[in-house]
């Protein structure tokens, strides 16, 4: 069997260019995520302040995602993504240089996180809604699963490299390599021949608020999109705070250093990668409710199992299984939303998706950081898992018919 038979999205040249560029860039992004989180803990020794950095980074997405969707629906997506990816390279270079010169302080990390947050507010809905322009609806689920696969392959490689480099060469090397990694995605975008569909609507309104209102009404009147988005909002807020909880759990419960933390995040990435590849390989069946609800409930179960033990090996195993179920849930939710969205609303719909998937991170990070500071990271894992199970079961029992049509 040819690889394109199992993964038909790779038959599309434009998608291959985009996918390969992301493969390199995301390894650098995960290296920076690991380095930045451990650096903040080293500077502050505070789980709350670590959570605050994450909150600040996602605050612009929480406040401005809905307006970003209007922008994405009005401008060529390729050019928007070129701008955001180039800007990420610059902020990574600044962080690396400040760190290398030993001038780095907590407040500087916070400012750079805020700038990256504003860039992400445009970048995420633009990239998410760009995929269907590259592959069409038929291969959309396959493309989303492959994107998840490369994201999580990077989650395996990036943290492992970062853990080793931090111990041997320091934090700055991770940040410089991340800055350089954006060259790959920028080159890929330059060779892509699709700008991204900018819908030409009849009676299109020129006022941003009017366009925004139309998008919200559309979501409200499309039950399968509405309830998928609400499910993402709850699980993202309370059950996907691994960037806050894992470093604290590693340091305070498992008593390991940066290398141990990096390997744990790699274990989670392995599980998520396998989940994404599995989803990609069965994508011809279409998105099924069992993927969505099974993913949410499975995520909750393994978070609880993490919280009730203190073995490094078991933590790695349970994080891998958490990654499997998390990616099954999030990829299924993404596909469900995009397939059921009209072209002229997709940018706005995906901006709301970005809001509830990443924009609620300030709330989730403060929740996780505060709870972990007061009761410990193990209790926070248990509470987070219980919420995931309870809400997934609630939506399954009350709205199952919507998702089965």
């Amino acid at each position: 069997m040819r690889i394109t038979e199992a993964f038909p999205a790779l038959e599309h040249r434009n998608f291959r260019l985009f996918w390969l560029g992301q493969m390199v860039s995301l390894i650098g992004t995960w290296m920076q995520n690991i380095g930045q989180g451990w650096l903040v803990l080293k500077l502050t020794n505070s789980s709350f302040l670590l959570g605050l950095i994450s909150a600040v980074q996602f605050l612009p997405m929480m406040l401005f995602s809905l307006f970003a969707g209007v922008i994405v629906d009005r401008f060529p997506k390729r050019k928007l993504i070129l701008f955001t990816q180039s800007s990420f390279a610059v902020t990574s270079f600044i962080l690396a240089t400040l760190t290398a010169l030993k001038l780095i302080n907590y407040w500087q990390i916070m400012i750079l996180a805020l700038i990256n947050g504003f860039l992400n507010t445009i970048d995420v809905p633009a990239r998410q809604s760009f995929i269907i322009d590259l592959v069409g609806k038929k291969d959309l689920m396959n493309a989303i699963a492959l994107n998840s696969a490369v994201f999580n392959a990077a989650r395996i490689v990036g943290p492992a490299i970062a853990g080793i480099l931090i111990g041997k060469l320091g934090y700055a090397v991770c940040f410089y390599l991340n800055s350089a990694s954006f060259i790959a995605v920028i080159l890929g975008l330059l060779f892509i021949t699709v700008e991204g569909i900018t819908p030409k609507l009849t009676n299109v309104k020129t006022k941003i608020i009017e366009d925004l209102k139309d998008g919200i009404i559309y979501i409200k009147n499309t039950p399968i999109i509405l309830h998928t988005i609400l499910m993402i909002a709850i699980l993202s807020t309370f059950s996907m705070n691994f960037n806050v909880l894992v470093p604290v759990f590693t340091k305070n419960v498992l008593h390991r250093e940066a290398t141990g933390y990096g390997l744990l995040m790699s274990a989670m990435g392995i599980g998520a990668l396998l989940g994404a590849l599995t989803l990609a390989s069965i994508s011809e069946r279409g998105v099924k409710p069992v993927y969505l609800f099974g993913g949410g409930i499975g995520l909750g179960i393994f978070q609880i199992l993490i919280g009730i033990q203190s073995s490094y090996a078991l933590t790695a195993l349970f994080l891998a299984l958490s990654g499997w179920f998390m990616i099954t849930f999030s990829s299924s939710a993404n596909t469900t939303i995009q397939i059921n969205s009209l072209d002229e609303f997709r940018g706005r719909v995906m901006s709301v998706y970005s809001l509830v998937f990443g924009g609620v991170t300030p709330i989730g990070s403060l929740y996780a950081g505060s709870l972990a500071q007061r009761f410990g990271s193990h209790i926070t894992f248990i509470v987070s898992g219980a919420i995931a199970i309870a809400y997934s079961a609630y939506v399954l029992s009350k709205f199952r018919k919507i998702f089965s049509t």
Side-chain angles (χ1 to χ4, degrees), residues 65-66 69 125 212 215-216 219 225 229 232 337 346-359:
S65 275
L66 300 180
L212 178 57
I216 298 298
I219 292 171
I225 295 177
I229 283 175
I232 296 168
I337 290 170
R346 187 167 290 108
R348 279 164 284 180
V349 170
M350 294 313 293
S351 72
V352 175
Y353 169 87
S354 301
L355 171 63
V356 300
F357 190 70

Side-chain angles (χ1 to χ4, degrees), residues 24 38 73 89 98 107 120 128 133 138-139 151 180 200 222 225 228 246 255 295 310 331 344-345 399:
V24 176
W38 205 256
D73 275 338
L98 287 172
W107 67 268
N120 258 322
Q128 294 285 352
D133 298 332
K138 179 182 176 183
D139 295 326
F151 178 85
K200 304 298 182 184
T222 313
I225 295 177
T228 303
V246 175
H255 307 293
S310 58
S331 294
E344 59 263 34
F345 289 104
F399 302 105

Side-chain angles (χ1 to χ4, degrees), residues 184-297:
V185 71
I186 291 168
L187 288 174
L189 287 165
L190 290 173
F191 285 102
I192 285 175
T193 55
V194 174
E195 288 291 348
I197 297 171
T198 304
K200 304 298 182 184
L201 306 178
T202 57
N203 300 320
V204 76
K205 297 177 176 63
T206 57
K207 295 181 180 178
I208 289 179
I209 298 299
E210 293 287 344
D211 284 351
L212 178 57
K213 181 180 177 182
D214 287 347
I216 298 298
I217 292 172
Y218 173 73
I219 292 171
K220 181 181 177 182
N221 292 334
T222 313
I224 191 169
I225 295 177
L226 174 63
H227 289 293
T228 303
I229 283 175
L230 290 174
M231 194 173 174
I232 296 168
I234 296 299
L235 268 67
S236 294
T237 302
F238 298 106
S239 305
M240 296 186 187
N241 298 298
F242 293 99
N243 284 347
V244 175
L245 293 180
V246 175
V248 178
F249 193 83
T250 303
K251 187 173 186 289
N252 296 341
V253 177
L254 303 178
H255 307 293
R256 299 295 182 104
E257 296 299 322
T259 300
Y261 167 46
L263 291 174
L264 283 180
M265 293 302 288
S266 292
M268 186 174 181
I270 290 171
L273 173 61
L274 293 174
L277 291 174
T278 301
L279 204 59
S281 68
I282 59 175
S283 61
E284 73 279 358
R285 303 177 189 175
V287 63
K288 304 290 184 182
V290 66
Y291 306 154
L292 186 70
F293 297 107
I297 292 170

